[in-house]
Amino acid sequence: MVLGKYKKQEVAFDRDRSMNCHILLLGESGCGKSTMAQKMMLKIVEEGGTVVTLDIHHVLDDSQILEKYRTYFRTFINTIDVYKDGIPCKILQPMQYVDGTYEKQIDVVGALTDVFGRAFNLGAIQRATLRTALSNVSRSGEYDKQGISAIGKALASIDKDVAKIVMEKIYMITNHNIFISGDWPVKEGKINIFRLSKFNLETQKAVAEMLLSYIWRRAMVSGCTGDGIYLFIDECQNLPCGKNSLLGEILSEGRKFNVNLLLATQQLMQGHPSVVQQRMAQCGLCLYFRPGAGQTRTVAKMIDPNGIREWSSVLHSLSIGEFIAVGALKIDGYSIDHPLKITSFEEQSDMKKKESPKRNTCRVRRNVFAEVEGFGF
């Protein structure tokens, strides 16, 4: 995957050599993250992969796609209008393992209870009540007829105050009937966009958590075929990233099941700085664009704890489309394991207005090995 240019030479992400294929894009608004994410998604599907994106902030609206890519981008898009059509999803149906056996129904109910519990912060008694309602819906087959609204009706039939509390917490999910019975709409080799922006923010977060949980469960049970799947999450700091969070689990275990994350954010995720840094450091490739106010030193420390002053200066001077890449990189076939300051192709051509120079293999080799011990800028 080509990232851009370093000293007039193409730099690529060496996915085969990386500890994983998770990618982080961190930087303030307007620094070039969205354009880079669009380029990466196109490259992924061109190479046979599949992208699933949760469009919460209109970041993949047609008007937001870089004009030079827009027509081509459309050929790969598969849109799911969640507000209008819901999400066809057999969430209460046992999945088939690769050995041909099936999940037990109790495990399906348990998995969905855990998803709701995380998404809506349910306590132990509330989870137990929800589990009862889910078990009733599962036995009756009402989900196939009514969708997820059947869970709200099952809770309403339980004559307990706790059932009313749970029903109120998940009201937007059940009354919008966001999940319905049907064939999973994600298409392989496409950029699958789940449009969530018409819901309020809390509902968006809950739906995002539930969608990611379902995709992750599918991957763990049945695996991902082909070149795997990339989950693009914009403003990922809005989702939990703690020790037991879903994002944390995918960051740690995603490679086993061919599930990768493409994360974009303007600010560091919530939590203790050291924990956040450890989580972000789990991405095989980190692209640090110009950071937001007050984050320069923290980001510089993430790049190189022994070169905070130097990298702070570099970060502060970054132009639109420039970033510091950290991960398994390669230039002209040579492996690079130290940070590099890279310029995207758009900035190279549109701002500097220079023709791409011819490759000079000898010069590249000299530059690469001369700077292994120093800073790549």
Side-chain angles (χ1 to χ4, degrees), residues 77 86-87 101 115 141 151 154-155 158 161 166 189 204 217 221 230 243 256 260 277 309 316 319 323 348 359:
I77 287 179
I87 302 172
T101 60
V115 173
I151 298 173
L155 285 166
I158 300 175
D161 289 341
V166 176
Q204 290 176 21
R217 179 173 148 236
V221 173
Y230 270 86
K243 181 179 179 181
K256 293 181 183 177
N260 310 296
Q277 292 171 33
R309 179 179 297 178
H316 184 72
S319 301
F323 52 87
Q348 183 83 9
R359 230 177 239 189

PDB file of all heavy atoms in Angstrom, residues 77 86-87 101 115 141 151 154-155 158 161 166 189 204 217 221 230 243 256 260 277 309 316 319 323 348 359:
ATOM      1  N   ILE A  77     -18.891   1.598  -4.048  1.00  0.00           N
ATOM      2  CA  ILE A  77     -19.724   1.872  -2.878  1.00  0.00           C
ATOM      3  C   ILE A  77     -20.961   0.971  -2.827  1.00  0.00           C
ATOM      4  O   ILE A  77     -21.642   0.765  -3.821  1.00  0.00           O
ATOM      5  CB  ILE A  77     -20.152   3.349  -2.851  1.00  0.00           C
ATOM      6  CG1 ILE A  77     -18.976   4.244  -2.461  1.00  0.00           C
ATOM      7  CG2 ILE A  77     -21.293   3.576  -1.866  1.00  0.00           C
ATOM      8  CD1 ILE A  77     -19.298   5.712  -2.438  1.00  0.00           C
ATOM      9  N   GLY A  86     -33.131   0.127   7.940  1.00  0.00           N
ATOM     10  CA  GLY A  86     -32.667  -0.785   8.970  1.00  0.00           C
ATOM     11  C   GLY A  86     -31.482  -1.610   8.493  1.00  0.00           C
ATOM     12  O   GLY A  86     -30.947  -1.394   7.405  1.00  0.00           O
ATOM     13  N   ILE A  87     -31.066  -2.544   9.325  1.00  0.00           N
ATOM     14  CA  ILE A  87     -29.924  -3.395   9.003  1.00  0.00           C
ATOM     15  C   ILE A  87     -30.386  -4.853   8.969  1.00  0.00           C
ATOM     16  O   ILE A  87     -30.677  -5.442  10.014  1.00  0.00           O
ATOM     17  CB  ILE A  87     -28.807  -3.245  10.059  1.00  0.00           C
ATOM     18  CG1 ILE A  87     -28.361  -1.779  10.160  1.00  0.00           C
ATOM     19  CG2 ILE A  87     -27.627  -4.148   9.710  1.00  0.00           C
ATOM     20  CD1 ILE A  87     -27.415  -1.518  11.310  1.00  0.00           C
ATOM     21  N   THR A 101     -20.185 -27.372  12.579  1.00  0.00           N
ATOM     22  CA  THR A 101     -21.105 -27.345  13.710  1.00  0.00           C
ATOM     23  C   THR A 101     -21.667 -25.933  13.898  1.00  0.00           C
ATOM     24  O   THR A 101     -21.166 -24.960  13.305  1.00  0.00           O
ATOM     25  CB  THR A 101     -20.405 -27.789  15.003  1.00  0.00           C
ATOM     26  OG1 THR A 101     -19.311 -26.881  15.273  1.00  0.00           O
ATOM     27  CG2 THR A 101     -19.864 -29.195  14.852  1.00  0.00           C
ATOM     28  N   VAL A 115     -23.560  -7.526  24.187  1.00  0.00           N
ATOM     29  CA  VAL A 115     -23.504  -6.370  23.293  1.00  0.00           C
ATOM     30  C   VAL A 115     -24.385  -5.246  23.821  1.00  0.00           C
ATOM     31  O   VAL A 115     -23.966  -4.090  23.927  1.00  0.00           O
ATOM     32  CB  VAL A 115     -23.951  -6.760  21.866  1.00  0.00           C
ATOM     33  CG1 VAL A 115     -24.062  -5.511  20.992  1.00  0.00           C
ATOM     34  CG2 VAL A 115     -22.986  -7.745  21.250  1.00  0.00           C
ATOM     35  N   GLY A 141     -39.419 -17.075  17.854  1.00  0.00           N
ATOM     36  CA  GLY A 141     -39.151 -16.751  16.463  1.00  0.00           C
ATOM     37  C   GLY A 141     -39.697 -15.397  16.040  1.00  0.00           C
ATOM     38  O   GLY A 141     -39.778 -15.097  14.841  1.00  0.00           O
ATOM     39  N   ILE A 151     -37.985  -7.395  20.838  1.00  0.00           N
ATOM     40  CA  ILE A 151     -37.341  -7.404  22.160  1.00  0.00           C
ATOM     41  C   ILE A 151     -38.005  -6.395  23.072  1.00  0.00           C
ATOM     42  O   ILE A 151     -38.225  -6.656  24.264  1.00  0.00           O
ATOM     43  CB  ILE A 151     -35.833  -7.120  22.010  1.00  0.00           C
ATOM     44  CG1 ILE A 151     -35.177  -8.212  21.166  1.00  0.00           C
ATOM     45  CG2 ILE A 151     -35.164  -7.021  23.384  1.00  0.00           C
ATOM     46  CD1 ILE A 151     -33.732  -7.943  20.824  1.00  0.00           C
ATOM     47  N   ALA A 154     -41.191  -7.928  24.246  1.00  0.00           N
ATOM     48  CA  ALA A 154     -40.932  -8.974  25.240  1.00  0.00           C
ATOM     49  C   ALA A 154     -40.626  -8.376  26.600  1.00  0.00           C
ATOM     50  O   ALA A 154     -41.061  -8.909  27.643  1.00  0.00           O
ATOM     51  CB  ALA A 154     -39.777  -9.857  24.766  1.00  0.00           C
ATOM     52  N   LEU A 155     -39.904  -7.275  26.621  1.00  0.00           N
ATOM     53  CA  LEU A 155     -39.629  -6.594  27.893  1.00  0.00           C
ATOM     54  C   LEU A 155     -40.904  -6.017  28.490  1.00  0.00           C
ATOM     55  O   LEU A 155     -41.117  -6.057  29.711  1.00  0.00           O
ATOM     56  CB  LEU A 155     -38.602  -5.475  27.672  1.00  0.00           C
ATOM     57  CG  LEU A 155     -37.153  -5.907  27.474  1.00  0.00           C
ATOM     58  CD1 LEU A 155     -36.309  -4.757  26.942  1.00  0.00           C
ATOM     59  CD2 LEU A 155     -36.562  -6.427  28.792  1.00  0.00           C
ATOM     60  N   ILE A 158     -42.877  -8.313  30.677  1.00  0.00           N
ATOM     61  CA  ILE A 158     -42.310  -8.695  31.980  1.00  0.00           C
ATOM     62  C   ILE A 158     -42.754  -7.661  33.007  1.00  0.00           C
ATOM     63  O   ILE A 158     -42.402  -6.481  32.910  1.00  0.00           O
ATOM     64  CB  ILE A 158     -40.776  -8.776  31.913  1.00  0.00           C
ATOM     65  CG1 ILE A 158     -40.340  -9.823  30.890  1.00  0.00           C
ATOM     66  CG2 ILE A 158     -40.209  -9.111  33.295  1.00  0.00           C
ATOM     67  CD1 ILE A 158     -38.835  -9.873  30.668  1.00  0.00           C
ATOM     68  N   ASP A 161     -40.240  -3.576  37.360  1.00  0.00           N
ATOM     69  CA  ASP A 161     -39.749  -2.220  37.110  1.00  0.00           C
ATOM     70  C   ASP A 161     -38.434  -2.231  36.334  1.00  0.00           C
ATOM     71  O   ASP A 161     -38.198  -1.361  35.490  1.00  0.00           O
ATOM     72  CB  ASP A 161     -39.545  -1.477  38.435  1.00  0.00           C
ATOM     73  CG  ASP A 161     -40.873  -1.118  39.099  1.00  0.00           C
ATOM     74  OD1 ASP A 161     -41.901  -1.108  38.399  1.00  0.00           O
ATOM     75  OD2 ASP A 161     -40.863  -0.849  40.315  1.00  0.00           O
ATOM     76  N   VAL A 166     -34.902  -1.126  31.401  1.00  0.00           N
ATOM     77  CA  VAL A 166     -34.152  -1.637  30.250  1.00  0.00           C
ATOM     78  C   VAL A 166     -34.839  -1.241  28.949  1.00  0.00           C
ATOM     79  O   VAL A 166     -34.183  -0.821  27.979  1.00  0.00           O
ATOM     80  CB  VAL A 166     -34.002  -3.173  30.328  1.00  0.00           C
ATOM     81  CG1 VAL A 166     -33.310  -3.701  29.071  1.00  0.00           C
ATOM     82  CG2 VAL A 166     -33.215  -3.572  31.561  1.00  0.00           C
ATOM     83  N   GLY A 189     -15.427  -7.102  -1.499  1.00  0.00           N
ATOM     84  CA  GLY A 189     -14.793  -6.314  -2.546  1.00  0.00           C
ATOM     85  C   GLY A 189     -15.391  -4.932  -2.723  1.00  0.00           C
ATOM     86  O   GLY A 189     -15.097  -4.253  -3.709  1.00  0.00           O
ATOM     87  N   GLN A 204     -26.314   6.542  17.582  1.00  0.00           N
ATOM     88  CA  GLN A 204     -25.238   6.217  16.647  1.00  0.00           C
ATOM     89  C   GLN A 204     -24.168   5.366  17.325  1.00  0.00           C
ATOM     90  O   GLN A 204     -23.704   4.361  16.777  1.00  0.00           O
ATOM     91  CB  GLN A 204     -24.609   7.497  16.105  1.00  0.00           C
ATOM     92  CG  GLN A 204     -25.492   8.298  15.168  1.00  0.00           C
ATOM     93  CD  GLN A 204     -24.833   9.601  14.740  1.00  0.00           C
ATOM     94  OE1 GLN A 204     -23.622   9.745  14.817  1.00  0.00           O
ATOM     95  NE2 GLN A 204     -25.634  10.547  14.305  1.00  0.00           N
ATOM     96  N   ARG A 217     -18.114 -11.045  15.922  1.00  0.00           N
ATOM     97  CA  ARG A 217     -18.608 -12.389  16.232  1.00  0.00           C
ATOM     98  C   ARG A 217     -18.625 -13.261  14.982  1.00  0.00           C
ATOM     99  O   ARG A 217     -18.232 -14.435  15.018  1.00  0.00           O
ATOM    100  CB  ARG A 217     -20.012 -12.292  16.835  1.00  0.00           C
ATOM    101  CG  ARG A 217     -20.643 -13.634  17.190  1.00  0.00           C
ATOM    102  CD  ARG A 217     -21.951 -13.464  17.938  1.00  0.00           C
ATOM    103  NE  ARG A 217     -22.866 -14.546  17.636  1.00  0.00           N
ATOM    104  CZ  ARG A 217     -24.087 -14.397  17.165  1.00  0.00           C
ATOM    105  NH1 ARG A 217     -24.561 -13.185  16.945  1.00  0.00           N
ATOM    106  NH2 ARG A 217     -24.845 -15.446  16.917  1.00  0.00           N
ATOM    107  N   VAL A 221     -16.404 -16.745  14.603  1.00  0.00           N
ATOM    108  CA  VAL A 221     -17.088 -18.019  14.395  1.00  0.00           C
ATOM    109  C   VAL A 221     -16.785 -18.603  13.016  1.00  0.00           C
ATOM    110  O   VAL A 221     -16.410 -19.766  12.883  1.00  0.00           O
ATOM    111  CB  VAL A 221     -18.621 -17.854  14.575  1.00  0.00           C
ATOM    112  CG1 VAL A 221     -19.347 -19.142  14.188  1.00  0.00           C
ATOM    113  CG2 VAL A 221     -18.952 -17.488  16.013  1.00  0.00           C
ATOM    114  N   TYR A 230     -11.623  -4.627   6.424  1.00  0.00           N
ATOM    115  CA  TYR A 230     -11.164  -3.436   7.140  1.00  0.00           C
ATOM    116  C   TYR A 230     -12.382  -2.693   7.663  1.00  0.00           C
ATOM    117  O   TYR A 230     -13.336  -2.442   6.916  1.00  0.00           O
ATOM    118  CB  TYR A 230     -10.369  -2.513   6.210  1.00  0.00           C
ATOM    119  CG  TYR A 230      -8.892  -2.779   6.178  1.00  0.00           C
ATOM    120  CD1 TYR A 230      -8.358  -3.736   5.319  1.00  0.00           C
ATOM    121  CD2 TYR A 230      -8.009  -2.093   7.017  1.00  0.00           C
ATOM    122  CE1 TYR A 230      -6.995  -3.982   5.277  1.00  0.00           C
ATOM    123  CE2 TYR A 230      -6.646  -2.331   6.986  1.00  0.00           C
ATOM    124  CZ  TYR A 230      -6.148  -3.281   6.108  1.00  0.00           C
ATOM    125  OH  TYR A 230      -4.798  -3.527   6.088  1.00  0.00           O
ATOM    126  N   LYS A 243      -9.575  -1.525  28.505  1.00  0.00           N
ATOM    127  CA  LYS A 243      -8.964  -2.853  28.549  1.00  0.00           C
ATOM    128  C   LYS A 243      -9.887  -3.922  28.004  1.00  0.00           C
ATOM    129  O   LYS A 243      -9.458  -4.820  27.270  1.00  0.00           O
ATOM    130  CB  LYS A 243      -8.553  -3.176  29.994  1.00  0.00           C
ATOM    131  CG  LYS A 243      -7.890  -4.533  30.149  1.00  0.00           C
ATOM    132  CD  LYS A 243      -7.498  -4.772  31.596  1.00  0.00           C
ATOM    133  CE  LYS A 243      -6.841  -6.149  31.753  1.00  0.00           C
ATOM    134  NZ  LYS A 243      -6.465  -6.421  33.164  1.00  0.00           N
ATOM    135  N   LYS A 256      -5.726 -12.625  13.874  1.00  0.00           N
ATOM    136  CA  LYS A 256      -6.070 -14.048  13.871  1.00  0.00           C
ATOM    137  C   LYS A 256      -7.260 -14.334  12.956  1.00  0.00           C
ATOM    138  O   LYS A 256      -7.349 -15.413  12.369  1.00  0.00           O
ATOM    139  CB  LYS A 256      -6.419 -14.503  15.293  1.00  0.00           C
ATOM    140  CG  LYS A 256      -5.285 -14.497  16.276  1.00  0.00           C
ATOM    141  CD  LYS A 256      -5.775 -14.981  17.624  1.00  0.00           C
ATOM    142  CE  LYS A 256      -4.688 -14.935  18.676  1.00  0.00           C
ATOM    143  NZ  LYS A 256      -5.198 -15.352  20.015  1.00  0.00           N
ATOM    144  N   ASN A 260      -9.278  -6.092  10.316  1.00  0.00           N
ATOM    145  CA  ASN A 260      -8.354  -4.975  10.513  1.00  0.00           C
ATOM    146  C   ASN A 260      -9.124  -3.677  10.758  1.00  0.00           C
ATOM    147  O   ASN A 260     -10.253  -3.523  10.301  1.00  0.00           O
ATOM    148  CB  ASN A 260      -7.471  -4.806   9.275  1.00  0.00           C
ATOM    149  CG  ASN A 260      -6.839  -6.105   8.836  1.00  0.00           C
ATOM    150  OD1 ASN A 260      -6.039  -6.686   9.554  1.00  0.00           O
ATOM    151  ND2 ASN A 260      -7.212  -6.586   7.654  1.00  0.00           N
ATOM    152  N   GLN A 277      -1.938   5.470  24.727  1.00  0.00           N
ATOM    153  CA  GLN A 277      -0.762   5.307  23.882  1.00  0.00           C
ATOM    154  C   GLN A 277      -0.475   3.840  23.598  1.00  0.00           C
ATOM    155  O   GLN A 277      -0.105   3.461  22.484  1.00  0.00           O
ATOM    156  CB  GLN A 277       0.445   5.973  24.545  1.00  0.00           C
ATOM    157  CG  GLN A 277       0.344   7.495  24.596  1.00  0.00           C
ATOM    158  CD  GLN A 277       1.432   8.117  25.447  1.00  0.00           C
ATOM    159  OE1 GLN A 277       2.540   7.615  25.507  1.00  0.00           O
ATOM    160  NE2 GLN A 277       1.124   9.220  26.107  1.00  0.00           N
ATOM    161  N   ARG A 309      11.569  16.403  21.705  1.00  0.00           N
ATOM    162  CA  ARG A 309      11.784  17.790  21.275  1.00  0.00           C
ATOM    163  C   ARG A 309      11.879  17.874  19.755  1.00  0.00           C
ATOM    164  O   ARG A 309      11.248  18.730  19.131  1.00  0.00           O
ATOM    165  CB  ARG A 309      13.054  18.344  21.905  1.00  0.00           C
ATOM    166  CG  ARG A 309      13.352  19.779  21.473  1.00  0.00           C
ATOM    167  CD  ARG A 309      14.604  20.308  22.145  1.00  0.00           C
ATOM    168  NE  ARG A 309      14.448  20.379  23.597  1.00  0.00           N
ATOM    169  CZ  ARG A 309      15.408  20.776  24.422  1.00  0.00           C
ATOM    170  NH1 ARG A 309      16.600  21.122  23.937  1.00  0.00           N
ATOM    171  NH2 ARG A 309      15.197  20.813  25.730  1.00  0.00           N
ATOM    172  N   HIS A 316       4.893  20.263  14.499  1.00  0.00           N
ATOM    173  CA  HIS A 316       4.403  21.644  14.469  1.00  0.00           C
ATOM    174  C   HIS A 316       4.530  22.257  13.077  1.00  0.00           C
ATOM    175  O   HIS A 316       3.740  23.130  12.701  1.00  0.00           O
ATOM    176  CB  HIS A 316       5.179  22.486  15.485  1.00  0.00           C
ATOM    177  CG  HIS A 316       4.692  23.901  15.606  1.00  0.00           C
ATOM    178  ND1 HIS A 316       3.493  24.221  16.208  1.00  0.00           N
ATOM    179  CD2 HIS A 316       5.239  25.073  15.182  1.00  0.00           C
ATOM    180  CE1 HIS A 316       3.327  25.528  16.155  1.00  0.00           C
ATOM    181  NE2 HIS A 316       4.368  26.068  15.541  1.00  0.00           N
ATOM    182  N   SER A 319       2.624  20.550   6.965  1.00  0.00           N
ATOM    183  CA  SER A 319       1.625  21.189   6.105  1.00  0.00           C
ATOM    184  C   SER A 319       0.486  20.220   5.844  1.00  0.00           C
ATOM    185  O   SER A 319       0.558  19.035   6.205  1.00  0.00           O
ATOM    186  CB  SER A 319       2.257  21.605   4.772  1.00  0.00           C
ATOM    187  OG  SER A 319       3.325  22.499   4.975  1.00  0.00           O
ATOM    188  N   PHE A 323       2.613  13.977   6.896  1.00  0.00           N
ATOM    189  CA  PHE A 323       2.426  13.213   8.127  1.00  0.00           C
ATOM    190  C   PHE A 323       3.700  12.447   8.460  1.00  0.00           C
ATOM    191  O   PHE A 323       4.575  12.264   7.608  1.00  0.00           O
ATOM    192  CB  PHE A 323       1.249  12.232   7.990  1.00  0.00           C
ATOM    193  CG  PHE A 323       1.322  11.342   6.781  1.00  0.00           C
ATOM    194  CD1 PHE A 323       2.012  10.129   6.819  1.00  0.00           C
ATOM    195  CD2 PHE A 323       0.714  11.704   5.587  1.00  0.00           C
ATOM    196  CE1 PHE A 323       2.084   9.305   5.710  1.00  0.00           C
ATOM    197  CE2 PHE A 323       0.778  10.887   4.462  1.00  0.00           C
ATOM    198  CZ  PHE A 323       1.466   9.683   4.516  1.00  0.00           C
ATOM    199  N   GLN A 348       2.069  16.752  -3.263  1.00  0.00           N
ATOM    200  CA  GLN A 348       3.255  16.827  -4.119  1.00  0.00           C
ATOM    201  C   GLN A 348       2.916  17.495  -5.448  1.00  0.00           C
ATOM    202  O   GLN A 348       3.645  18.351  -5.929  1.00  0.00           O
ATOM    203  CB  GLN A 348       3.780  15.402  -4.366  1.00  0.00           C
ATOM    204  CG  GLN A 348       5.053  15.353  -5.184  1.00  0.00           C
ATOM    205  CD  GLN A 348       6.268  15.576  -4.319  1.00  0.00           C
ATOM    206  OE1 GLN A 348       6.178  15.601  -3.108  1.00  0.00           O
ATOM    207  NE2 GLN A 348       7.405  15.777  -4.953  1.00  0.00           N
ATOM    208  N   ARG A 359      13.179   7.586 -10.700  1.00  0.00           N
ATOM    209  CA  ARG A 359      13.750   6.870  -9.582  1.00  0.00           C
ATOM    210  C   ARG A 359      15.268   6.787  -9.705  1.00  0.00           C
ATOM    211  O   ARG A 359      15.801   6.551 -10.775  1.00  0.00           O
ATOM    212  CB  ARG A 359      13.170   5.471  -9.557  1.00  0.00           C
ATOM    213  CG  ARG A 359      12.637   5.067  -8.212  1.00  0.00           C
ATOM    214  CD  ARG A 359      12.012   3.710  -8.308  1.00  0.00           C
ATOM    215  NE  ARG A 359      10.622   3.790  -7.918  1.00  0.00           N
ATOM    216  CZ  ARG A 359       9.869   2.750  -7.743  1.00  0.00           C
ATOM    217  NH1 ARG A 359      10.340   1.554  -7.955  1.00  0.00           N
ATOM    218  NH2 ARG A 359       8.625   2.890  -7.379  1.00  0.00           N
TER     219      ARG A 359
END
